[in-house]
Amino acid sequence: MRFKKSILSVLIKSAIAATVIAPSVLIAQEESNDSPVLEEIIVTAQKREQSLADVPISVAVVDGEFLKEHAIEKMADLQFSVPNFTMAESGIGTNVFIRGIGSGNNQGFEQSVGVYVDGIHHGRAQQARAPFFDLERVEVLRGPQSILFGKNSVAGALNMTTARPTSEFEGLVSVSHEFLDSETESSIVLSGPISDKFRYRIAGRYHELDGYIENVTLGRDEPQQEDFTLRTTFEYDFSDTMMATLKLEASKFDVIGRNIEINGEVPAAVGPFTGLTYSQILAGVFGQDPSVLDNSINGKRHANGDFSNNDQFEAVLTLDWELENHTLTSITGISNFEFNDNCDCDFTGGNVFTLPLSEEYDQISQEIRLTSNGGEKVDYIVGGFYQTSDHEYRDSLTINADSILVPLLNLSSPGLGDLFSNTAGPREARVDTDIFSAFAQFDWHLSDTLTLQIGGRLTHESKDGSRNLTITAADGSPLSAAQAIVADFYGIVFDIGASNTLNIIDPTLSSRLGTHPVSGSRSETEFTPDVKLYWDMSDNTMLYASVVQGSKSGGFDFRANNKGASATMEEAFEFENETALSFEIGGKFSLADGAAEINFAAYLTQFDDLQVSIFDGTLGFNVGNAAEAEVKGFEVDGRWQITNNLTLAGSFAVTDFEFENYTNGRCNFGQAPNGPQAADGFCDYSGQTNQLASDWQGTFSAMHVYDLSGGMEINTALNVFFTDDYHASASLDPALIQDAYANVNLRIGLSNPVAGWDVALLGKNLTDEDIILFGGDAPLSGSTFGAIAKYNFVARGRTVALQFTKKF
């Protein structure tokens, strides 16, 4: 049974909790002779530096020091420190969710969670896999952030700020080694002045990991990782009022293998393999490597080889010009991101098929904004934004001569498999995008304590897209005359509507599946308003209420093989924008003379035309729009500086997600279609929750410093993340539910702040929890072989690392 609470009920209980907690904090402080005060957290969630306590938004902040000390090396690690934020990798995509909302598996999607680094949008899903390095902080902004961060941040935004050059020389060398999986990370930072007006910061990082899952097919540990990042940042003061910042960054992050394991096998109920599981069919019938018989989650996998090679370059020029009572800011960004992957996308050690895929994305953006310095009757931010991008995607379903699909198809029809031998279905998709937008946000101070904030963003976006899929020889050359008919069989067996389908075997193929190539153009103009009212009840209390509208642009489907339930391929190729209307109330309280704080937010967000990626049951994904969804919940976090040496912190989030009208969901293998679109093979998920949406999540941390003689300290930090169960699969498969768990991390360090060194032992996932991050039906297991099998992306188990840092 789902855990549901009304917002009113939660608010009442939180108010009671605050009433109980506040006096206890005050009493504890009165009994202490010390007067500890929490360190103020500065954020740029509203494009100007502000105290977190003054920002009328639900924000979670993780600073750079915490990221470094606790080995939070990428976005996937961040989810274990921030409730209501989830990130999971899949075979062909990356999924980032805030408050239960995210984008599915399709390279054509804009991301529901906007990712921004120093003001530059990182809009491609796989960019979320890039490692963190030398960051000042990461801000997780929950809820639509359409005004200042752009129209596609419909679920929220990650606002990341890299460390800046310093006015005095600083240096840092850091080395860590993890013992159980043989992981090493090394970094160096040099920062300081070149002259009175010129400053620099040079930061480099190298990281490698041997792997934590044994690939029993290839006899190696996976995933093996190798990352390299080099960033140079320069600041130059043209005058006392004008400064230029130039950041150049190149990074490479490569992975060999994946963290996938197969389980959940159900024997075939009908057909030639009745009574056999998928692994038994692969090994016993087709003589594949015996490793495929491992069908449990046990730290072992079977696969024939996967890799992902990623390269990223970015140049950002920022100009800040202090005018009278204003600051004029210009941010110019040039970005390039590309990857080349090979997905053993049947996810087994059997030779079934492979899917090489690649993506290249080039982006140029320009933002100009004028910000008032504050303190006037009306404070404001106004600006304009332009972005142009070229996006190319390629993949190729490849059936080699040794694929078991060859004898399988020969078994059903002699000679059919030979036609498939050494053939491929290369796909090419492209979209060119131009975005123009203007935005403004005004803070009208109605009184000394009451402020009305009104904002809006007007965005015009145009896209031209195309996609083609042609059946070829495995090397990409045209089919021979003898094999030309195989294009028809790709349609019959894999539901692929290729450009060279002959319609000889089945005259209805093209009308039933659609055909390639397909192209389209779309243009949309959206206005997204934002209204907030916040009340400074006292120096220690702020309450706010907001109504925000968000929008995420429509686009073109890169990953579909057919037209699905649409009337034409052109209609299926294009999907519409989604919109969100969010209501939020919240409060931020400072207690015990600044020694403690409590923040809360309660929200209700309604989504229309929610974009979803639907597995077609064979090999492709069709993009569509679910009619309506609603998510409501409550978030609370707090910190308490009990003494100068002891700090407690915690957070908790309750989420209630419900598809109000989602009748075109993809059924699991073996699940009978139901609902209004059952005739098209769909399942009705109306009234159900979403993938990766937990009913509740939370964190608890305790940090203690023990002073030793000689200026040394013992630093201890305990961090616990806990979550309710959640669906790991997009099809809400009951066989792929991750049970509730707690992730426990502990760091014990010895340091000398004056000498600038620190050595620590860090243990993560100390209870060695088995965690499923993402899952689904193993491709072709049910549709072609008739036997169900599940794939699971699993999280890393227990790790123990030694860290050493020296500042100079």
Side-chain angles (χ1 to χ4, degrees):
M1 181 177 66
R2 284 184 47 74
F3 179 69
K4 299 178 182 286
K5 291 209 180 270
S6 70
I7 291 179
L8 179 61
S9 172
V10 175
L11 282 175
I12 293 173
K13 292 184 179 181
S14 67
I16 295 173
T19 305
V20 173
I21 293 173
S24 66
V25 175
L26 291 169
I27 292 171
Q29 289 300 307
E30 289 172 358
E31 293 176 350
S32 173
N33 294 325
D34 297 327
S35 298
V37 176
L38 285 169
E39 183 178 351
E40 184 180 28
I41 298 176
I42 301 298
V43 298
T44 55
Q46 296 193 119
K47 299 297 184 180
R48 64 172 88 207
E49 290 193 350
Q50 295 174 284
S51 170
L52 178 62
D54 296 329
V55 177
I57 302 172
S58 178
V59 184
V61 182
V62 183
D63 66 31
E65 194 69 19
F66 186 91
L67 294 171
K68 180 173 64 69
E69 290 182 352
H70 295 272
I72 300 176
E73 297 175 342
K74 56 184 179 179
M75 201 178 297
D77 301 331
L78 187 65
Q79 64 186 318
F80 299 116
S81 298
V82 178
N84 256 356
F85 171 77
T86 305
M87 188 270 197
E89 299 178 11
S90 68
I92 59 167
T94 304
N95 305 271
V96 184
F97 285 67
I98 288 180
R99 291 179 172 173
I101 294 293
S103 296
N105 286 327
N106 199 290
Q107 280 71 18
F109 274 142
E110 304 292 345
Q111 294 304 293
S112 299
V113 177
V115 178
Y116 301 84
V117 181
D118 295 328
I120 302 301
H121 185 216
H122 288 194
R124 306 330 310 161
Q126 196 143 318
Q127 288 179 288
R129 301 184 185 186
F132 289 166
F133 174 54
D134 196 32
L135 294 176
E136 185 174 315
R137 65 183 173 272
V138 177
E139 303 167 20
V140 182
L141 286 63
R142 304 183 182 102
Q145 306 296 323
S146 302
I147 311 307
L148 300 180
F149 286 92
K151 67 190 293 289
N152 288 324
S153 303
V154 69
L158 264 72
N159 183 31
M160 291 185 272
T161 304
T162 60
R164 302 182 63 172
T166 53
S167 299
E168 297 182 358
F169 175 76
E170 293 180 2
L172 178 146
V173 174
S174 176
V175 179
S176 68
H177 180 74
E178 199 283 319
F179 299 97
L180 301 180
D181 302 324
S182 189
E183 179 182 27
T184 303
E185 189 264 350
S186 305
S187 59
I188 184 170
V189 177
L190 300 173
S191 179
I194 297 175
S195 68
D196 291 342
K197 295 185 176 183
F198 197 15
R199 298 170 295 281
Y200 72 93
R201 188 178 188 93
I202 301 173
R205 173 184 182 270
Y206 178 77
H207 165 261
E208 60 179 354
L209 167 67
D210 282 355
Y212 52 91
I213 295 177
E214 181 186 359
N215 185 330
V216 291
T217 307
L218 300 179
R220 67 187 187 193
D221 289 336
E222 296 177 348
Q224 300 173 17
Q225 299 177 5
E226 186 175 33
D227 312 329
F228 174 78
T229 304
L230 178 63
R231 180 189 305 137
T232 59
T233 307
F234 300 97
E235 287 183 350
Y236 184 74
D237 299 323
F238 285 101
S239 66
D240 292 340
T241 60
M242 186 174 184
M243 182 180 73
T245 304
L246 176 64
K247 184 188 77 173
L248 303 173
E249 179 176 330
S251 63
K252 184 177 180 64
F253 46 104
D254 300 337
V255 180
I256 298 175
R258 297 179 186 268
N259 51 321
I260 303 174
E261 297 189 52
I262 294 288
N263 77 337
E265 292 198 319
V266 178
V270 296
F273 308 119
T274 299
L276 298 178
T277 63
Y278 189 34
S279 61
Q280 290 170 340
I281 296 169
L282 295 177
V285 178
F286 293 102
Q288 298 300 289
D289 192 286
S291 60
V292 300
L293 295 171
D294 189 316
N295 58 3
S296 62
I297 297 179
N298 57 3
K300 298 180 180 181
R301 70 175 301 226
H302 44 90
N304 296 306
D306 320 75
F307 64 80
S308 177
N309 298 326
N310 303 262
D311 294 277
Q312 186 167 262
F313 172 78
E314 190 163 270
V316 183
L317 175 63
T318 304
L319 301 175
D320 290 299
W321 187 12
E322 295 182 8
L323 307 172
E324 185 176 358
N325 299 321
H326 296 85
T327 300
L328 182 64
T329 301
S330 169
I331 303 176
T332 307
I334 301 174
S335 302
N336 170 265
F337 172 72
E338 58 184 70
F339 71 79
N340 288 281
D341 287 12
N342 185 65
C343 179
D344 186 12
C345 271
D346 58 89
F347 301 140
T348 75
N351 292 313
V352 185
F353 71 94
T354 60
L355 185 76
L357 58 154
S358 64
E359 184 175 10
E360 184 170 353
Y361 181 75
D362 295 293
Q363 172 185 296
I364 299 174
S365 63
Q366 175 65 56
E367 179 175 344
I368 297 176
R369 65 175 181 264
L370 183 68
T371 306
S372 65
N373 287 346
E376 303 297 327
K377 183 68 173 180
V378 178
D379 298 323
Y380 54 86
I381 300 174
V382 296
F385 177 80
Y386 169 71
Q387 178 178 298
T388 184
S389 62
D390 298 321
H391 184 197
E392 297 180 9
Y393 172 79
R394 298 178 181 86
D395 65 23
S396 181
L397 168 66
T398 304
I399 301 175
N400 295 313
D402 59 355
S403 167
I404 65 171
L405 293 176
V406 174
L408 173 66
L409 294 170
N410 280 336
L411 182 65
S412 63
S413 178
L416 177 60
D418 296 331
L419 286 173
F420 278 84
S421 178
N422 280 323
T423 61
R427 179 202 336 259
E428 296 183 356
R430 181 186 182 97
V431 65
D432 299 327
T433 304
D434 289 294
I435 302 174
F436 300 86
S437 63
F439 58 90
Q441 180 174 285
F442 299 90
D443 283 31
W444 180 17
H445 303 294
L446 303 175
S447 68
D448 291 340
T449 60
L450 190 64
T451 300
L452 176 65
Q453 184 182 91
I454 302 175
R457 190 179 190 106
L458 181 66
T459 301
H460 176 76
E461 184 168 357
S462 58
K463 292 182 178 181
D464 295 311
S466 63
R467 187 185 72 216
N468 195 16
L469 197 163
T470 302
I471 308 306
T472 68
D475 61 4
S477 62
L479 292 169
S480 66
Q483 278 190 305
I485 194 65
V486 76
D488 283 25
F489 286 110
Y490 265 78
I492 294 170
V493 177
F494 301 131
D495 293 331
I496 292 176
S499 65
N500 53 342
T501 299
L502 299 178
N503 294 300
I504 293 175
I505 305 300
D506 180 355
T508 69
L509 274 177
S510 291
S511 61
R512 179 165 56 85
L513 300 174
T515 187
H516 287 83
V518 61
S519 62
S521 297
R522 60 179 289 117
S523 178
E524 59 185 69
T525 301
E526 290 284 340
F527 177 71
T528 49
D530 183 338
V531 179
K532 294 185 176 74
L533 183 67
Y534 54 100
W535 178 27
D536 293 314
M537 292 180 60
S538 68
D539 292 339
N540 301 319
T541 303
M542 188 265 280
L543 299 176
Y544 69 90
S546 67
V547 180
V548 183
Q549 184 173 318
S551 179
K552 177 183 165 188
S553 65
F556 301 107
D557 187 346
F558 278 14
R559 284 281 303 133
N561 291 328
N562 51 63
K563 66 183 181 67
S566 299
T568 65
M569 188 73 88
E570 287 74 19
E571 180 182 317
F573 182 48
E574 186 173 349
F575 56 90
E576 298 303 317
N577 63 311
E578 70 180 37
T579 60
L581 181 62
S582 186
F583 304 87
E584 183 169 310
I585 58 175
K588 303 194 176 186
F589 308 91
S590 176
L591 306 170
D593 294 326
E597 65 180 20
I598 296 176
N599 309 311
F600 81 89
Y603 63 91
L604 169 65
T605 306
Q606 296 172 321
F607 287 86
D608 289 325
D609 295 321
L610 187 66
Q611 296 168 3
V612 292
S613 180
I614 305 166
F615 182 51
D616 69 6
T618 308
L619 291 174
F621 289 84
N622 296 321
V623 171
N625 294 84
E628 296 177 1
E630 180 180 275
V631 56
K632 56 179 179 274
F634 178 77
E635 297 152 349
V636 61
D637 64 80
R639 295 186 297 156
W640 181 12
Q641 190 76 46
I642 296 180
T643 70
N644 288 324
N645 288 32
L646 177 62
T647 305
L648 300 182
S651 57
F652 190 74
V654 175
T655 305
D656 180 13
F657 185 104
E658 182 178 334
F659 285 114
E660 294 190 320
N661 188 352
Y662 183 14
T663 61
N664 59 333
R666 172 52 54 187
C667 305
N668 307 311
F669 287 148
Q671 181 183 7
N674 62 74
Q677 294 183 259
D680 295 320
F682 292 115
C683 282
D684 186 357
Y685 292 134
S686 302
Q688 301 295 311
T689 186
N690 198 14
Q691 176 191 23
L692 304 180
S694 298
D695 286 335
W696 51 261
Q697 290 186 336
T699 65
F700 170 78
S701 64
M703 293 151 283
H704 184 262
V705 178
Y706 184 80
D707 297 318
L708 300 172
S709 60
M712 292 193 296
E713 300 174 346
I714 295 177
N715 301 276
T716 306
L718 172 69
N719 293 280
V720 182
F721 169 83
F722 48 92
T723 180
D724 192 18
D725 57 12
Y726 57 83
H727 286 276
S729 73
S731 58
L732 308 183
D733 190 337
L736 289 168
I737 294 178
Q738 168 61 51
D739 293 333
Y741 67 88
N743 190 308
V744 181
N745 304 328
L746 178 65
R747 184 182 190 271
I748 302 175
L750 177 67
S751 65
N752 188 320
V754 176
W757 59 263
D758 177 86
V759 61
L761 195 64
L762 174 64
K764 301 178 73 172
N765 192 7
L766 290 176
T767 56
D768 203 23
E769 295 287 336
D770 293 327
I771 303 170
I772 303 173
L773 301 172
F774 189 89
D777 292 304
L780 298 186
S781 61
S783 60
T784 300
F785 295 89
I788 296 173
K790 311 294 180 182
Y791 69 86
N792 303 260
F793 279 77
V794 296
R796 198 169 170 183
R798 181 189 299 116
T799 62
V800 179
L802 182 66
Q803 302 173 321
F804 175 77
T805 301
K806 175 70 169 96
K807 298 179 180 179
F808 51 90

